Amino acid sequence: LTSAALPPLAKQVTIDGTTQPGWALGTPAIALSCPSMIVTGLMLAGPPSEIRGLRVQDFTNSSFNSTGIGLTSPGHRIADCQVISNYYGITIHSTSNTIGGAPAVSNRNVISGNRFLGIQITSGAGYNVIVGNYIGTDPTGSAPMGNGFGGVSAGISILSSPGNLIGGNQGAATRNVVSGNNGSGIFITG
């Protein structure tokens, strides 16, 4: 993107980058990028949708608190994406969304290297599920690629929001790796 934001997705959609030539697990073939101009890369504002297999990066206009992916309506799923080097990685303003998912490793997101927060769940946006992701590591899960620059930055931040599930007990694929973040790994307040 060079000069204007994409409109919010107000209808149910599936965007599946895993179907594209060149895609491999952990290596998206499609990237959505904009250095410092656009506020939000992808905003889901309609019925439940699924975003899979994209790399969303460089939405870094800190004066507007840019975010790679924003969820303003309930029921969305983000899987097998790399959400890296944004101001905020994923911002959730709604309920009942799934970031990652069980039990397949292919549902794992890499949410790393974002300037402030990897995942932000805002006040009142409860009952979201965050399972099976790498948050603050490189795509292999073995080297740090932390979110934030210190202070109150975090891998995951939950603000006054009830009933969220972080991690699962259905095997290794449901466990998040939250590591290498600058500040808190998981910050819960309210």
Side-chain angles (χ1 to χ4, degrees):
L1 302 176
T2 58
S3 62
L6 294 172
L9 299 176
K11 296 186 178 183
Q12 187 172 30
V13 298
T14 297
I15 299 174
D16 188 353
T18 68
T19 63
Q20 298 305 299
W23 177 88
L25 183 61
T27 309
I30 298 173
L32 181 61
S33 174
C34 180
S36 303
M37 290 185 70
I38 308 299
V39 175
T40 299
L42 207 53
M43 180 66 74
L44 302 179
S49 294
E50 182 169 352
I51 306 300
R52 177 178 288 282
L54 298 181
R55 182 176 174 116
V56 181
Q57 65 186 42
D58 298 331
F59 291 90
T60 56
N61 189 334
S62 61
S63 63
F64 294 105
N65 295 327
S66 300
T67 189
I69 299 174
L71 309 175
T72 61
S73 58
H76 303 293
R77 183 167 189 216
I78 309 299
D80 192 34
C81 288
Q82 290 184 4
V83 184
I84 61 172
S85 300
N86 302 288
Y87 193 75
Y88 292 96
I90 298 174
T91 301
I92 303 172
H93 300 284
S94 57
T95 62
S96 306
N97 298 287
T98 300
I99 309 300
V105 172
S106 63
N107 293 325
R108 174 176 292 134
N109 295 294
V110 176
I111 305 164
S112 299
N114 297 290
R115 290 188 183 178
F116 190 52
L117 300 171
I119 300 172
Q120 174 182 226
I121 301 176
T122 62
S123 181
Y127 306 97
N128 294 286
V129 175
I130 301 170
V131 295
N133 300 288
Y134 287 161
I135 302 169
T137 74
D138 72 350
T140 69
S142 60
M145 190 174 159
N147 293 290
F149 49 83
V152 296
S153 58
I156 301 170
S157 174
I158 301 174
L159 174 63
S160 300
S161 177
N164 295 290
L165 173 67
I166 300 174
N169 59 5
Q170 300 170 336
T174 66
R175 298 178 191 143
N176 294 300
V177 175
V178 182
S179 181
N181 295 289
N182 302 309
S184 301
I186 301 171
F187 180 79
I188 302 172
T189 187

